[in-house]
Amino acid sequence: MVRLKDFEDNLLQSGLITAEVLNRFAAGWNADAEDSTVGGEKSPARPVRSKTEVEEPAIQLAQNLVKAKLLTTYQVRQLLKGVTKGFFLGPYRILQPLGQGGSGRVYQALDTRTERNVALKVLTSQNCGQDQLERFQHEIDLSRRVCHSKVVHC
């Protein structure tokens, strides 16, 4: 089980969320959990917490961050394992892996300059020779020629 403080530290160290955003989110989350008054009677603002929520506040915070679309499930899983690096590649924020093949891995990423989702192919170090780079360039050139309703070009 991951402690809440460790999860928050991992989250901030990753750069996925700033301390300001986390504090604002946590303040809203705690406010939702407080009792509210309805018609003069106290009633819980949220349903009674489950055993999992009480025992694992880091998991609950992680789930709420995913629901709020501040993190992806992939990012949360990595953070809960203690991974704090590898979420950014230049201006790209890695959202989730899409697949891998002989030459590298493909990720869904967010281009932070344009706020657009992209597929980002990352070549493995073994596949960075001149022949492989020429093959990769050829793949890029071919992909530009594809004309299909399900393919978006930027």
Side-chain angles (χ1 to χ4, degrees):
M1 178 167 52
V2 176
R3 294 179 335 149
L4 179 60
K5 176 75 171 118
D6 293 336
F7 178 72
E8 290 173 334
D9 290 345
N10 291 347
L11 184 55
L12 294 174
Q13 190 175 353
S14 74
L16 289 168
I17 292 182
T18 64
E20 179 184 350
V21 170
L22 180 59
N23 289 337
R24 273 191 287 139
F25 183 81
W29 182 43
N30 290 335
D32 288 344
E34 292 176 2
D35 287 346
S36 62
T37 303
V38 178
E41 295 182 22
K42 287 244 180 196
S43 64
R46 295 176 30 173
V48 176
R49 289 179 161 199
S50 71
K51 186 176 179 183
T52 303
E53 288 181 82
V54 173
E55 291 179 354
E56 300 180 23
I59 303 284
Q60 185 61 36
L61 175 59
Q63 290 172 339
N64 286 330
L65 288 165
V66 170
K67 285 179 191 172
K69 298 186 180 195
L70 293 172
L71 294 177
T72 65
T73 303
Y74 166 75
Q75 292 166 336
V76 162
R77 286 183 183 139
Q78 296 299 99
L79 290 165
L80 288 170
K81 289 191 272 184
V83 176
T84 59
K85 295 181 180 179
F87 296 107
F88 293 91
L89 185 59
Y92 301 100
R93 178 181 171 152
I94 306 298
L95 301 176
Q96 66 182 349
L98 295 176
Q100 74 180 59
S103 62
R105 292 184 175 182
V106 179
Y107 296 94
Q108 179 184 359
L110 178 72
D111 184 335
T112 59
R113 300 167 298 189
T114 63
E115 295 296 313
R116 294 180 81 176
N117 280 330
V118 299
L120 185 65
K121 186 169 189 176
V122 180
L123 300 177
T124 60
S125 58
Q126 314 79 311
N127 291 311
C128 285
Q130 190 60 38
D131 289 343
Q132 290 85 0
L133 292 176
E134 287 174 9
R135 191 175 320 136
F136 185 55
Q137 185 61 52
H138 183 66
E139 183 180 326
I140 292 169
D141 294 340
L142 288 175
S143 70
R144 286 186 181 139
R145 295 182 196 166
V146 174
C147 183
H148 190 276
S149 63
K150 301 291 185 184
V151 176
V152 178
H153 293 278
C154 302

